Amino acid sequence: MCQHRELPPVVIASGGIVHDFPASSAELAAILTECGFPHVTVTEDVDGLFADLPIDPEPPLVVLNMLRFRMELERYAHLREQWALSLRTDAKAGLAEHIRSGGGLLAMHGAAICFDDWPEWKDLLGGQWLWDRSCHPPFGPISVTVSTNASPIVAGVSDFDLNDEAYGFLDLADDVEGLAFSTHSGSSHPLLWTRHVGRGRVAYDALGHDVASLRVPEHRTIVSRAALWAAGADSSLPS
């Protein structure tokens, strides 16, 4: 269990299609509470959240656990009314300002598919799903190779297996350095990275399809550390 002081509050943006987001967001909230984050809330009001993010005196750690996009393809037609999303202008500006001004972002799994009409999202997150290229094998067993990179997020974490979806062939920013990988379709694909954006910190974890994924010990450790890193709690991480 993590125990740390002076961590910011957390807000989890949740909701969307295909996944059981109420369950996985509740599990993420439990992980963050274990780490000592003082107050964790969950919301499906993504536009409202991003538009009203406080910059001072204490920006929250924003966690994205969602899968919402324009849903223009016909196979999503029956889901559009409830879940289609094109972020409002003030919401885009609010999230970008939150990060660039020093706020933290932990983005999980489907976050790379979200906001597919917002080019700046790739610049903030570090990677984005391309509908004509990106893919993943069917949900099932994945072998995850952990980098020997000196990052405290993966320090001492061994390679591990879990059931999940391994996203691949994302449109990646040039500065992305993977911290964990999965191999499929003849290529090795980064599943985890961290990066600085302005004065803020962004961590992306492409895993986390369901609660079981988040309960795999190695993955749970990575999620905990990624949250702490994004929140700027370097002293709480392995040296």
Side-chain angles (χ1 to χ4, degrees):
M1 178 178 292
C2 310
Q3 292 184 353
H4 309 283
R5 297 181 179 178
E6 298 183 357
L7 295 173
V10 178
V11 59
I12 301 174
S14 182
I17 63 172
V18 181
H19 306 68
D20 186 353
F21 287 109
S24 59
S25 289
E27 191 67 21
L28 283 168
I31 293 171
L32 295 167
T33 299
E34 289 171 5
C35 285
F37 286 91
H39 185 61
V40 182
T41 58
V42 179
T43 182
E44 291 184 351
D45 180 9
V46 183
D47 274 318
L49 168 64
F50 292 170
D52 294 328
L53 282 170
I55 302 301
D56 294 311
E58 183 179 43
L61 171 65
V62 175
V63 178
L64 300 190
N65 185 46
M66 53 185 291
L67 182 53
R68 298 185 65 185
F69 49 96
R70 288 176 295 174
M71 301 187 185
E72 293 184 326
L73 296 177
E74 187 59 29
R75 68 175 181 265
Y76 300 118
H78 64 296
L79 299 166
R80 285 183 199 136
E81 182 175 357
Q82 182 176 9
W83 293 117
L85 177 66
S86 179
L87 282 177
R88 296 188 326 231
T89 300
D90 60 343
K92 294 175 184 177
L95 181 59
E97 178 66 11
H98 166 80
I99 296 170
R100 297 187 188 282
S101 296
L105 174 69
L106 170 61
M108 301 294 301
H109 196 47
I113 303 177
C114 293
F115 319 142
D116 58 342
D117 60 345
W118 187 23
E120 190 181 2
W121 182 227
K122 172 192 169 182
D123 299 330
L124 296 172
L125 183 64
Q128 192 169 30
W129 184 273
L130 294 178
W131 288 104
D132 60 351
R133 188 182 81 186
S134 305
C135 64
H136 65 76
F139 175 85
I142 297 173
S143 294
V144 178
T145 302
V146 179
S147 172
T148 56
N149 184 295
S151 169
I153 295 181
V154 294
V157 178
S158 300
D159 297 348
F160 60 99
D161 298 327
L162 79 172
N163 290 316
D164 213 308
E165 293 171 335
Y167 291 172
F169 303 104
L170 300 178
D171 184 20
L172 299 174
D174 293 339
D175 65 345
V176 164
E177 295 185 8
L179 301 177
F181 302 85
S182 177
T183 299
H184 64 81
S185 305
S187 298
S188 178
H189 305 279
L191 300 176
L192 174 72
W193 63 76
T194 62
R195 61 204 301 265
H196 294 269
V197 180
R199 293 193 289 114
R201 295 182 174 198
V202 175
Y204 175 63
D205 178 356
L207 302 173
H209 178 85
D210 59 13
V211 169
S213 169
L214 296 170
R215 289 179 177 172
V216 172
E218 294 88 349
H219 189 205
R220 198 175 186 90
T221 294
I222 285 171
V223 173
S224 298
R225 291 181 181 177
L228 291 166
W229 181 88
D234 293 50
S235 63
S236 302
L237 297 168
S239 57

